[in-house]
Amino acid sequence: MKDRVVISPTTRQEGHAELVMEVDDEGIVTKGMYFSITPVRGLEKMVLNKAPETAPVLCQRICGVCPIPHTLASAEAMDMALGIEIPKAAKLLRKAVAAAHGINSAAIHHFLVAPDVVPEDKFVDAVNSVSEVRKNVQYVVDMIAGEGIHPSDIRVGGMARNITPFTKERLIERMTALKPKLEAHVEFIKNCVAEAGLPADLGVVNQPLMAMDATYGTNDFDMDKFSEVLPEAWYDDPEIGKRGCSVIPLWEGTNVETGPRARMEKFSGFKDKGVVAQHVARADEMLKNYEACMEALDAIDPAAPANVSYDKRGTGELGFGVIEGPRGTDVHMAKVVEGKTQFYSAIVPTTWNIPTMGPATEGFHHELGPHVIRAYDPCLSCATHVMVVDDEDKSILKNEMVRI
């Protein structure tokens, strides 16, 4: 006799999710469905009929965990929609910021999963290690992007300004000093994961990989390969589908795996799969991002221009911003006509990864289900957002949007 186990809401991710598992008499999961129950996002609608510069300011607020990827994706979508080629210095500054943020976000994830994989007697060491890594890489983000949460210096057309020679020297100095600490952190986390006792085949999926670049730099998206379906059409249980609040993006007609393990397999030959492999790949990718950040910092010419002037009227063509965020491929799309945004859409990493949750839970005792969620690091407020209005007259109760 089958039993249905529902975990709602799940914990340790941004936003609200629900995990529904069908379990047989022996406690083995025969089917798992994991989906967002955070209400519908409205940020794409908020930027319409506004100046193109508004989009990065609003869309960086899609998520407080990943503001850097969303700001970059939004700015680069607008750059393309306006026909802008940003200067080399701006590209390098953006690369350094994206890489530093990738390290920071991986460290946050290590803190979140520490109760699962870090022994109690080493927990304080893990927290201190995470704090040391984050303190230094967040300094890079703050100095280049203006601040880490709402990066004001990532602009349409490049960056607000270049860094000074002293800032470049200081950033390289701090990052150089961080390297042995970062290497020690990576080994510490990998050792903890190896000794945590998680089943080797837990969370193994065999979906195609969604990854455009090892770190940052490839802004490419083929619309002919992309499609979306509603949750009702994806989940075989109609009631489950009705509760899902985010569309299901497909690549060449199927759901895909994105994120650190996908990138490490596609670009670095990483072959292991599953929950343990995801943790290992995320840790190893911190070092990839470190090298990318240092390369960008070393190549920056502080005397070079970091932004360009541009025609705000727009090309009328669809522009893409494709950023490899910590949790996977983040795609923003924009179209500008006569100086106003006429179309905007964001396909965030969480929505790529959510459909892979079902198969990932099957065949395991249901007590292990939450590990699958944390393995893929879903950030559900990325996937869905809502604007609150008055129940009766539908007026906006509070509007503090930044006006440019």
Side-chain angles (χ1 to χ4, degrees), residues 17 89 92 94 119 152 164 169 210-211 213 249 257 261 273 280 324 336 349 352 364 398:
L92 291 169
R94 289 181 179 184
S152 57
T164 67
E169 180 181 348
M210 167 63 75
D213 202 287
E257 178 189 351
R261 205 209 65 81
K273 297 178 181 291
V280 171
E324 285 299 324
V336 179
W352 293 114
F364 299 102
K398 191 175 183 182

Side-chain angles (χ1 to χ4, degrees), residues 334-346:
K335 182 182 291 186
V336 179
V337 179
E338 296 301 324
K340 301 295 183 182
T341 302
Q342 297 302 312
F343 172 81
Y344 202 94
S345 181

Side-chain angles (χ1 to χ4, degrees), residues 53 139 145 257 400:
E53 295 86 355
Y139 179 78
E257 178 189 351
E400 297 179 349

Side-chain angles (χ1 to χ4, degrees), residues 103 110 129 133 179-193 279-288:
I103 299 171
H110 292 156
S129 182
V133 170
K179 187 175 184 180
K181 300 174 184 178
L182 180 61
E183 290 173 336
H185 173 82
V186 169
E187 286 305 307
F188 175 80
I189 293 297
K190 289 168 63 176
N191 288 336
C192 287
V193 170
H279 288 311
V280 171
R282 179 176 287 106
D284 283 343
E285 192 177 52
M286 296 175 86
L287 299 177
K288 294 284 185 183

Side-chain angles (χ1 to χ4, degrees), residues 51-65:
E53 295 86 355
T54 306
V57 178
L58 295 185
C59 291
Q60 65 185 213
R61 288 162 169 80
I62 284 177
C63 180
V65 179

Side-chain angles (χ1 to χ4, degrees), residues 108-154:
I108 293 174
H109 184 82
H110 292 156
F111 174 75
L112 292 174
V113 301
D116 299 322
V117 299
V118 177
E120 187 174 347
D121 62 341
K122 296 181 180 178
F123 194 85
V124 173
D125 292 337
V127 173
N128 289 339
S129 182
V130 165
S131 298
E132 181 67 19
V133 170
R134 293 194 61 216
K135 176 178 66 177
N136 284 280
V137 294
Q138 192 70 350
Y139 179 78
V140 175
V141 175
D142 291 342
M143 294 301 292
I144 297 177
E147 55 183 304
I149 303 303
H150 297 139
S152 57
D153 288 353
I154 299 173

Side-chain angles (χ1 to χ4, degrees), residues 30-323:
T30 58
K31 180 189 292 185
M33 292 167 283
Y34 175 71
F35 51 94
S36 169
I37 56 173
T38 303
V40 176
R41 178 177 57 202
L43 281 167
E44 290 107 329
K45 298 299 182 183
M46 296 180 200
V47 305
L48 297 182
N49 298 310
K50 293 182 174 64
E53 295 86 355
T54 306
V57 178
L58 295 185
C59 291
Q60 65 185 213
R61 288 162 169 80
I62 284 177
C63 180
V65 179
C66 290
I68 298 298
H70 286 304
T71 309
L72 287 169
S74 184
E76 296 199 358
M78 283 300 174
D79 289 339
M80 183 179 288
L82 295 170
I84 300 169
E85 178 65 31
I86 67 171
K88 179 181 178 180
K91 292 179 181 179
L92 291 169
L93 290 166
R94 289 181 179 184
K95 179 177 180 178
V97 167
H101 172 77
I103 299 171
N104 177 58
S105 191
I108 293 174
H109 184 82
H110 292 156
F111 174 75
L112 292 174
V113 301
D116 299 322
V117 299
V118 177
E120 187 174 347
D121 62 341
K122 296 181 180 178
F123 194 85
V124 173
D125 292 337
V127 173
N128 289 339
S129 182
V130 165
S131 298
E132 181 67 19
V133 170
R134 293 194 61 216
K135 176 178 66 177
N136 284 280
V137 294
Q138 192 70 350
Y139 179 78
V140 175
V141 175
D142 291 342
M143 294 301 292
I144 297 177
E147 55 183 304
I149 303 303
H150 297 139
S152 57
D153 288 353
I154 299 173
R155 304 283 182 86
V156 175
M159 301 290 290
R161 61 188 62 83
N162 203 336
I163 56 176
T164 67
F166 174 77
T167 300
K168 173 178 175 175
E169 180 181 348
R170 180 60 174 154
L171 293 178
I172 291 176
E173 180 182 283
R174 287 193 65 158
M175 289 295 284
T176 300
L178 174 64
K179 187 175 184 180
K181 300 174 184 178
L182 180 61
E183 290 173 336
H185 173 82
V186 169
E187 286 305 307
F188 175 80
I189 293 297
K190 289 168 63 176
N191 288 336
C192 287
V193 170
E195 297 170 4
L198 295 174
D201 53 350
L202 176 63
V204 172
V205 295
N206 293 292
Q207 298 306 116
L209 305 178
M210 167 63 75
M212 300 299 179
D213 202 287
T215 53
Y216 170 89
T218 302
N219 190 9
D220 183 28
F221 193 78
D222 187 347
M223 280 295 290
D224 292 335
K225 296 181 179 180
F226 168 72
S227 61
E228 291 179 306
V229 296
L230 294 174
E232 295 96 314
W234 180 261
Y235 296 106
D236 55 10
D237 187 324
E239 296 305 312
I240 294 297
K242 290 177 182 178
R243 286 181 56 76
C245 292
S246 59
V247 295
I248 309 299
L250 304 176
W251 192 254
E252 295 186 315
T254 188
N255 60 301
V256 295
E257 178 189 351
T258 189
R261 205 209 65 81
R263 285 189 293 264
M264 289 294 288
E265 177 176 334
K266 186 171 181 178
F267 298 106
S268 300
F270 188 90
K271 295 301 182 183
D272 293 339
K273 297 178 181 291
V275 172
V276 173
Q278 185 77 306
H279 288 311
V280 171
R282 179 176 287 106
D284 283 343
E285 192 177 52
M286 296 175 86
L287 299 177
K288 294 284 185 183
N289 276 314
Y290 176 87
E291 295 300 330
C293 184
M294 290 296 285
E295 288 173 5
L297 289 173
D298 185 63
I300 290 170
D301 177 4
N307 54 65
V308 294
S309 58
Y310 51 88
D311 186 339
K312 297 185 180 182
R313 290 175 295 177
T315 65
E317 301 295 327
L318 193 61
F320 300 101
V322 183
I323 299 295

